[in-house]
Amino acid sequence: MIAIHAAVPRFKPFATSASIVRRSSSHVNAVPKRPSIAPKLSIDIKHIRQNPDLYTKTCIDRNYLAQKDNPQRIIQLFKAWKQLQVDARDARRQNNHIQDRLGSLRRGEAGTTVDEQDHLLLQAETLKPILTRIFSTEAELDDEIESLAAELPNLTNEETPIGEEPRLLGYINERPKISTPVNHVDIGKHLDLLDFAAASTTSGWGWYFLKNEGALLEQALIQYALSVATRHGFSVVSPPSMVYSHIASACGFQPRDQGGEQQSYMISQPEKRSPFESEHEGKPEMTLAGTAEIPFAGMKANTKMEETELPLQIVGASRCYRAEAGARGIDTKGLYRVHEFTKVEMFSWITKGKEVAAFESMLAVQKEILQSLDLHCRILEMPSTDLGASASRKVDVEAFFPSRRAKDDGYGEVTSASICTDYQTRRLNTRLKLTSPGQTKTDFPYTVNGTALAVPRVLAALLENGWDEEQRAMRIPRVLHDWMHGIRTIKKKPDR
C-alpha cells in the first residue's frame, strides 16, 4: 500500500512560472485570440529555442521591436515547463499506479482485494486537484509559448538588404520626357472618368467612383492581367473578400501595424452561432481582406497536399480593403492610396527549394504586363524594414508617375512579390506528403505571392503617362484594345 503523504510531492502552483505566463497583452501587433475553429499552429518552436539570437536580430532588423524579447521569453517558459515535468513526475507516477490497481480490481485479477478500492479512490480524489493544477499550468505555458512564437516575423532571406534602403535591380522601359505633367485626378475629372466628390458623400475620404471609360479600363486591366498570368501557367480562382480574422493573422496580417495604426476593417458578427462553433465562445471575428493572398492561402488550411499537386499556381481578381489610407498629400492624392480597390493576385504552393523559380515566374508576369502597358518602372529588392511578417524576401516594381516627381523621383509601387517560406502553411496547418522510395513523411509546403496588377495605381499611371496635353486626350495602350470596345483614345465628352 502506498501512503499518499509520502508519494505525492508538495506541489506548488508554479509560483515562478505564473508571473512569466501572465505577461502584458499591450503589444500593438499581438496575435488575436484564436477561436476553437482556427487551424492548429505548427511553428518550429525548437528552432526558436536553439537560435534565439537569430530571431531577436530578425525582429530588430525588421523593426519588430515589441517582439525582440520573445525568443528569450520562450526559453524562460520552456525551462519552467521542463521544471514542471520534474516536479509533477511523482504525482503522475502515483496516479498511473492507482489507475492500474483500480483496473485490476474491476477485472477481479488475482492479488487484488475489494478492501483496497475505497483507499485507492481516496488517494485518487486527493491527487485530482494536484493533477488538474499541473495540466492547467502546462496548458498555460504551452499557449503562451505558442502565442509568443506566432508573433515573430519570418526569418529574413540573405538577398534582402538589412536596414531601410532598397537595392536597385533594374528598369522596365525608358523614362518618358514629359515637360508639363498633369495629375491623374485632373485628367480623370476632365475626361469624366473619376468622381471623388460623390464618393466622399457616400463613403468618405479615400473612396472613389470609376466612370465611363475609367470603369471599362478597370475591367480591361483585369482581363489583360488574367490572360498573361494564365498563359504563364496560373489557374483562375475567384476568392471571397471577407475572411476570418484568425486566417488573416495566420497569413501575417494583423489588425494594427507596428506603429499601432489600424490596417483592417473588422466585421461585427450576429450573435447566432453556426453548428460548428462552440457555445462557450462568440462568433469568430471576421475582416475584409486587404489582399487575395489571405483567402488564397486559407484555401488549403487544414489539408494535406500531395507532392504531385505542386507547384500549384493560382491567380484571381478581388476587391481589397485597407483601413489605413495615409494622411492627405501628394503620397495619397487621388487613386494612389485608397480604402477599396481591385487587384489581380498570384499565389503558389511549392516544395522547399523551388521557391526562387516560383518567385521569378511571378516577376516575369509582372514585368511583361507593365512593359506592354508602356509604363516606365524600376525594380527594387526591398529592405528588411519594408517586409511584412510573413515575407522572407520581397521585390517591388515601382511605376513612374510624372506628377509625383517631387516625391521619390516620381516612382510609386504598383506590384510586389514575396517569398514566405513555410511561415503561412505552418500557421494554417497546410501539410505536404512527401514520398520517396521506402519512406513517406509530412512536411510543410512553401508559399510565394505576387501582385499581377493593382488597378487604381496602374490606372493612375496610365492616365498620367498616356496623356496628350496638346490633344487633351489619353492614349490607351494597344494590349488593352481588345477589351475596350473599339476605344483607342479617351477624349472629353461633348457637353450635353
Side-chain angles (χ1 to χ4, degrees), residues 312-474:
L312 179 56
Q313 303 178 110
I314 60 176
V315 64
S318 71
R319 297 294 277 182
C320 303
Y321 300 86
R322 307 278 174 91
E324 181 273 316
R328 301 191 190 196
I330 187 173
D331 190 39
T332 61
K333 187 175 182 181
L335 294 175
Y336 191 78
R337 196 180 299 275
V338 292
H339 291 301
E340 179 181 7
F341 56 97
T342 302
K343 182 158 71 84
V344 180
E345 183 76 5
M346 300 175 286
F347 194 90
S348 294
W349 293 267
I350 61 274
T351 53
K352 182 179 180 180
K354 304 290 181 64
E355 64 273 14
V356 174
F359 186 63
E360 290 176 348
S361 174
M362 289 186 185
L363 290 174
V365 172
Q366 294 171 342
K367 292 175 185 177
E368 179 178 338
I369 291 172
L370 295 169
Q371 184 170 31
S372 62
L373 290 174
D374 301 324
L375 293 176
H376 168 64
C377 307
R378 66 181 181 184
I379 306 167
L380 302 175
E381 185 80 52
M382 300 308 291
S384 57
T385 53
D386 197 73
L387 269 57
S390 62
S392 69
R393 180 187 178 190
K394 182 162 83 88
V395 167
D396 282 1
V397 181
E398 298 184 340
F400 175 65
F401 294 79
S403 71
R404 287 171 49 87
R405 286 184 297 186
K407 183 176 179 62
D408 297 326
D409 198 25
Y411 292 102
E413 178 197 342
V414 288
T415 73
S416 68
S418 301
I419 297 175
C420 296
T421 64
D422 58 0
Y423 185 94
Q424 295 173 330
T425 54
R426 283 183 174 275
R427 287 160 172 76
L428 290 166
N429 193 31
T430 303
R431 292 151 293 153
L432 175 62
K433 181 180 177 182
L434 296 172
T435 304
S436 58
Q439 184 181 14
T440 299
K441 68 174 184 177
T442 300
D443 203 348
F444 296 90
Y446 275 24
T447 59
V448 177
N449 66 79
T451 308
L453 187 143
V455 169
R457 289 191 184 179
V458 171
L459 179 55
L462 290 177
L463 289 173
E464 294 191 12
N465 286 278
W467 177 247
D468 186 325
E469 180 65 22
E470 188 175 309
Q471 298 293 323
R472 303 290 290 171
M474 179 258 176

Side-chain angles (χ1 to χ4, degrees), residues 241-254:
S241 291
M242 193 159 71
V243 297
Y244 285 127
S245 295
H246 62 261
I247 295 294
S249 175
C251 293
F253 294 84
Q254 304 302 336

Side-chain angles (χ1 to χ4, degrees), residues 198-217:
S200 68
T201 301
T202 63
S203 311
W205 183 81
W207 308 82
Y208 58 96
F209 283 99
L210 292 179
K211 301 167 59 181
N212 304 313
E213 293 92 338
L216 289 178
L217 272 171

